[in-house]
Amino acid sequence: MKKYLVVGNPIEHSLSPKLQNFWLNSNNIEAIYGKLQAYDDDLKELCSSIKNGQLNGLNITVPYKKKIIPHLDVLSGHALRTQSVNTVCLSNGNVTGYNTDIDGFELSLKKLNYDVSNKKIIILGAGGVVPSIIYALKKMNAPQIYLSNRTKEKAQILKNLFDGIEVIDWGILPDFDMIINATSLGLKENDKFEIDFSKVGNKKLFFDVIYNPFNTNFSQAGNKPGNIIENGLNMFLFQAQKAFSIWHNIEPKIDKEVIKFLQS
Ligand code: ATR
């Protein structure tokens, strides 16, 4: 039987096994998808297991999206450009890394019918998923992207990967149309933002990359009349759909049934 794993640390919150096993069943594919709390030393062996066929595919999540790269043979164009990998499998005998977060983010904005081409956007965070978000925003012609991270140096490093990014101090909020929480703040129940959102006006899009829990402090801060609130669920579903297509050559359905199942 084919075997797939999502690999990260922490990994408890991941809904990937629930979703991927649902799609495996509904598409009558004989395979199993599990999760692994991994450490740096495990990455090499995981990639060897892909090479020798003991494992058939990996999803990579925090904090390994970049750290996995030295253990891969080949990168897709998107993975190379962002130095971020979230999907791995064997392709023509090569252990190959793909990035489906870019498509996940882009498709979730398209589903909202949100046009970024005339918007000022603030990204909070500079971790593994941020290069994919910047790449997608630039692809959709976002004219102004501010990057803010508690550890400013990490934002500066990301700025060097892309043109036209402005790094701002953590806690400062210039006028914006869309703000994205790409930090891990909100994954834990007691997480609090030390940023004051109270003076932010309306007609803003608050986009939280976190999907579990479905409601976070960040989405609550943006929950005012006239604002749009989006959590990471659609981004999660679309990136997972692309990964499934890479592995199984079938595009699984995203419909009410699968969303209801995930939230059950
Ligand atoms: P990694 O940084 O290892 O890639 P990540 O989960 O992708 O892991 O990124 C975590 C992000 O959440 C980082 O931007 C981190 O900020 P630092 O670079 O300063 O660590 C941010 N983050 C985590 N805890 C935070 C907190 N308490 N306050 C502000 N930002 C926080």
Side-chain angles (χ1 to χ4, degrees), residues 5-254:
L5 275 180
V6 59
V7 173
N9 193 355
I11 201 62
E12 261 327 295
H13 69 282
S14 175
L15 291 181
S16 291
K18 194 171 177 181
L19 176 61
Q20 295 287 345
N21 284 316
F22 178 90
W23 279 336
L24 287 169
N25 276 333
S26 54
N27 288 285
N28 296 315
I29 297 172
E30 266 207 42
I32 185 146
Y33 186 111
K35 61 179 152 193
L36 177 75
Q37 177 169 312
Y39 299 89
D40 287 15
D41 291 349
D42 298 327
L43 300 178
K44 188 173 179 210
E45 198 177 325
L46 283 163
C47 290
S48 303
S49 301
I50 295 281
K51 188 95 171 177
N52 67 27
Q54 283 174 323
L55 274 173
N56 301 89
L58 300 171
N59 272 143
I60 308 295
T61 187
V62 171
Y64 300 125
K65 289 182 180 190
K66 190 174 168 69
K67 285 184 179 162
I68 191 81
I69 291 178
H71 308 291
L72 302 170
D73 298 326
V74 175
L75 293 182
S76 75
H78 277 173
L80 184 67
R81 179 67 186 87
T82 53
Q83 290 294 299
S84 175
V85 166
N86 75 328
T87 302
V88 175
C89 64
L90 203 62
S91 173
N92 299 322
N94 293 313
V95 184
T96 306
Y98 300 86
N99 176 324
T100 72
D101 287 328
I102 297 171
D103 288 334
F105 182 74
E106 184 173 354
L107 291 169
S108 69
L109 280 189
K110 289 206 167 129
K111 188 156 192 259
L112 281 175
N113 277 326
Y114 193 79
D115 178 8
V116 297
S117 69
N118 54 354
K119 301 293 194 300
K120 298 189 199 84
I121 299 162
I122 300 177
I123 302 173
L124 303 174
V129 76
V130 173
S132 307
I133 291 176
I134 296 174
Y135 185 93
L137 287 172
K138 291 195 85 66
K139 189 162 163 257
M140 292 183 280
N141 299 317
Q144 177 76 60
I145 301 173
Y146 299 106
L147 191 55
S148 173
N149 193 50
R150 177 180 62 177
T151 312
K152 199 171 180 181
E153 297 75 45
K154 275 163 86 180
Q156 301 282 9
I157 291 168
L158 269 182
K159 178 186 154 81
N160 295 336
L161 269 186
F162 299 93
D163 292 332
I165 304 291
E166 196 171 323
V167 174
I168 54 174
D169 286 338
W170 181 249
I172 304 290
L173 295 181
D175 181 40
F176 69 89
D177 302 293
M178 174 182 185
I179 187 162
I180 301 163
N181 175 32
T183 73
S184 48
L185 274 173
L187 278 178
K188 295 195 209 103
E189 230 175 74
N190 297 328
D191 280 349
K192 288 245 162 8
F193 267 90
E194 282 149 17
I195 295 181
D196 181 10
F197 294 107
S198 64
K199 294 188 187 70
V200 172
N202 59 8
K203 294 196 187 152
K204 314 290 184 197
L205 169 55
F206 275 69
F207 189 113
D208 200 332
V209 169
I210 293 172
Y211 64 89
N212 186 15
F214 289 101
N215 276 314
T216 59
N217 275 335
F218 177 79
S219 56
Q220 277 159 24
N223 195 359
K224 291 184 191 163
N227 281 351
I228 308 168
I229 310 290
E230 171 81 354
N231 72 13
L233 182 64
N234 281 320
M235 178 176 176
F236 168 68
L237 285 165
F238 286 123
Q239 65 74 30
Q241 184 185 46
K242 292 281 167 190
F244 192 99
S245 304
I246 289 169
W247 294 327
H248 310 293
N249 219 7
I250 293 172
E251 185 164 277
K253 273 200 202 131
I254 294 177

